Amino acid sequence: MTASPLGWRCFQLGLFLLPSTALLGALFLFPALLIGSVGRERAFWRDPWNLPLIVAGVLMAFGCFLADAQGLAWVGLGNWLPFFWGFWGFQPYVISAAARRRCSLWLVAGTVPVLITGLGQLWWGWAGPWELLGGLIVWFVEPGGKPEGRLSGLFDYANIASAWLALVWPLALAALVQPGLQRRQRLVVLVLAIAMVVGLVLTESRNGWGALVLAVPVVLGPPSWPWLVPLLALALLPVVVSVLPGMPAFLQDPARQVVPDALWARLNDSQYAGERVLASTRISQWTVGLQLILERPWFGWGAAAFSIIYPLRTGQWHGHAHNLPLELAISHGLPVATLVVGLVLALMVVSLRRGLSGLFDRAWWAALLILLVLHGTDLPFFDSRLNIAGWILLAGLRASFSPDRSDQPTTALAADV
């Protein structure tokens, strides 16, 4: 499995542009996908790892005929079927460890505009809309962030910006600690890594804050754990004490003196006390989601059904179930959810068991782990940039133990690394 020079260049450029604009990123990634799908030694249906996606795709399409809102159901397939193809078609570009390292660096470099615009909107009051190509691309950068006071940058909402930064953070960490960098190069990467940490903190996303910590031991690897894990535990102890319900005041009050007010208040949701009704919480959304699954377990209700049914049953609007397995099962049925989620988990386990010896392979795995954790309480994949990046990460895991893989750069990459 060898990437062509043209496809490889399109793929790199697409990765670099992806964080800034899905449209420009896709304009280069789509030709790369076409090129990567031509002349393959094995057809799509002959790879056993594609079989769950083939079956899931057929079940999804059949379920659209049974959905109450068939138009929405068919449109909703756009969030899945093209990416099933991408999972296979992108593999030639991430087949080697050198290629995955190069792709990681392009994603890190492409995140710079997100950080600059995010910091600009908070610190200097930058405001959009900014247009490109005669209005074909528009960035609605909100002054002061969206919501107010939270960094969102080129994304529609702070939580989505946080999800992107959390995904890229382990790749940036690997770029920082990799051996062989010159002093000037390491200084540049250090500044970028610090900016990424600052950006994640300013999103005020609890998931993003957790990702900052989760990525470090995975990327640095088991040799660092004897000293790193106790150090992280010691650093996090005041935070845990400051937010844990039922802690004695003589322990919690000093901890809250050490931990910034904004941090512990955000973690225990004290700013929402007495304001949030039950129907606006995750517990209510998941409860209603489970009820919907029990009512239609086999083929689901169709894409976007949750956003229609939930307001009718609770009086509160929410666009999705804030949990990916639940959302899949609600929209397309339990068999589809089991096939897709099972495939992702199997890829994670198999790649881990085969060993993540390289620094960037550990970072790649950590990025996907963070994305999976984020989808336990939110659905950032509805942003196309995160959806594309997630399936590219999955393609890299599959390629890492593909029988066609190579530990050396591909022919197209050899002259480019």
Side-chain angles (χ1 to χ4, degrees):
M1 191 191 307
T2 302
S4 75
L6 176 59
W8 171 237
R9 290 185 176 90
C10 287
F11 188 72
Q12 292 179 95
L13 190 53
L15 289 180
F16 176 71
L17 294 171
L18 182 62
S20 296
T21 162
L23 178 59
L24 288 182
L27 283 178
F28 290 95
L29 289 172
F30 184 67
L33 177 59
L34 291 175
I35 296 169
S37 302
V38 174
R40 297 280 289 273
E41 296 175 5
R42 290 194 298 171
F44 179 84
W45 54 87
R46 293 184 61 188
D47 186 343
W49 284 91
N50 292 335
L51 293 180
L53 299 181
I54 294 173
V55 176
V58 171
L59 293 176
M60 285 177 165
F62 184 78
C64 289
F65 292 104
L66 306 177
D68 295 331
Q70 290 190 16
L72 283 176
W74 285 106
V75 171
L77 292 186
N79 286 320
W80 296 100
L81 298 190
F83 300 98
F84 292 174
W85 173 27
F87 170 70
W88 174 75
F90 287 137
Q91 288 179 29
Y93 308 111
V94 288
I95 193 67
S96 69
R100 291 189 292 275
R101 172 186 174 275
R102 188 59 174 266
C103 293
S104 299
L105 296 177
W106 279 120
L107 286 171
V108 172
T111 303
V112 171
V114 177
L115 292 169
I116 292 176
T117 55
L119 297 176
Q121 71 181 166
L122 291 184
W123 294 349
W124 304 298
W126 291 0
W130 300 336
E131 296 185 1
L132 187 66
L133 302 178
L136 185 62
I137 298 172
V138 182
W139 291 285
F140 295 96
V141 178
E142 298 286 341
K146 186 176 180 180
E148 180 70 27
R150 297 175 58 186
L151 183 147
S152 54
L154 298 178
F155 290 85
D156 294 334
Y157 196 76
N159 285 351
I160 307 301
S162 173
W164 180 270
L165 294 176
L167 180 152
V168 178
W169 161 239
L171 307 178
L173 182 59
L176 177 63
V177 302
Q178 66 178 314
L181 287 184
Q182 298 176 2
R183 182 176 299 180
R184 183 177 298 178
Q185 292 173 321
R186 200 173 300 279
L187 179 61
V188 171
V189 180
L190 176 61
V191 171
L192 181 54
I194 292 174
M196 200 165 293
V197 172
V198 172
L200 265 170
V201 171
L202 292 177
T203 63
E204 294 190 16
S205 166
R206 290 162 290 189
N207 284 337
W209 294 348
L212 276 174
V213 179
L214 177 61
V216 176
V218 179
V219 173
L220 298 187
S224 69
W225 293 354
W227 61 268
L228 179 61
V229 173
L231 183 62
L232 287 176
L234 185 63
L236 292 174
L237 182 61
V239 179
V240 174
V241 173
S242 69
V243 300
L244 198 63
M247 289 296 296
F250 73 90
L251 291 177
Q252 195 165 68
D253 290 343
R256 290 185 174 181
Q257 294 297 320
V258 175
V259 178
D261 292 349
L263 178 59
W264 66 258
R266 174 67 177 158
L267 287 173
N268 71 5
D269 255 355
S270 65
Q271 71 269 43
Y272 297 126
E275 298 179 8
R276 301 186 69 180
V277 296
L278 179 63
S280 68
T281 64
R282 298 285 193 273
I283 294 176
S284 174
Q285 294 154 24
W286 295 342
T287 301
V288 173
L290 289 172
Q291 294 171 354
L292 294 175
I293 294 170
L294 291 174
E295 292 174 24
R296 292 191 182 182
W298 298 111
F299 296 101
W301 295 78
F306 185 88
S307 63
I308 299 173
I309 300 174
Y310 191 77
L312 297 176
R313 298 195 179 186
T314 66
Q316 288 278 336
W317 185 88
H318 277 287
H320 51 72
H322 286 89
N323 177 276
L324 183 56
L326 279 179
E327 183 73 18
L328 257 176
I330 294 167
S331 299
H332 304 290
L334 276 173
V336 167
T338 302
L339 287 166
V340 175
V341 174
L343 171 69
V344 173
L345 295 179
L347 280 169
M348 296 289 290
V349 171
V350 170
S351 59
L352 185 62
R353 291 185 62 182
R354 289 174 177 263
L356 303 171
S357 56
L359 173 63
F360 278 91
D361 275 350
R362 291 197 301 271
W364 194 279
W365 193 90
L368 192 52
L369 174 65
I370 287 171
L371 201 56
L372 295 183
V373 172
L374 295 180
H375 280 89
T377 57
D378 206 350
L379 290 180
F381 91 101
F382 280 125
D383 183 278
S384 55
R385 289 166 285 187
L386 280 154
N387 204 354
I388 293 170
W391 283 99
I392 289 174
L393 291 174
L394 286 171
L397 282 194
R398 170 64 186 115
S400 69
F401 58 85
S402 168
D404 302 322
R405 76 178 179 89
S406 169
D407 292 327
Q408 302 299 321
T410 64
T411 301
L413 180 61
D416 209 7
V417 173

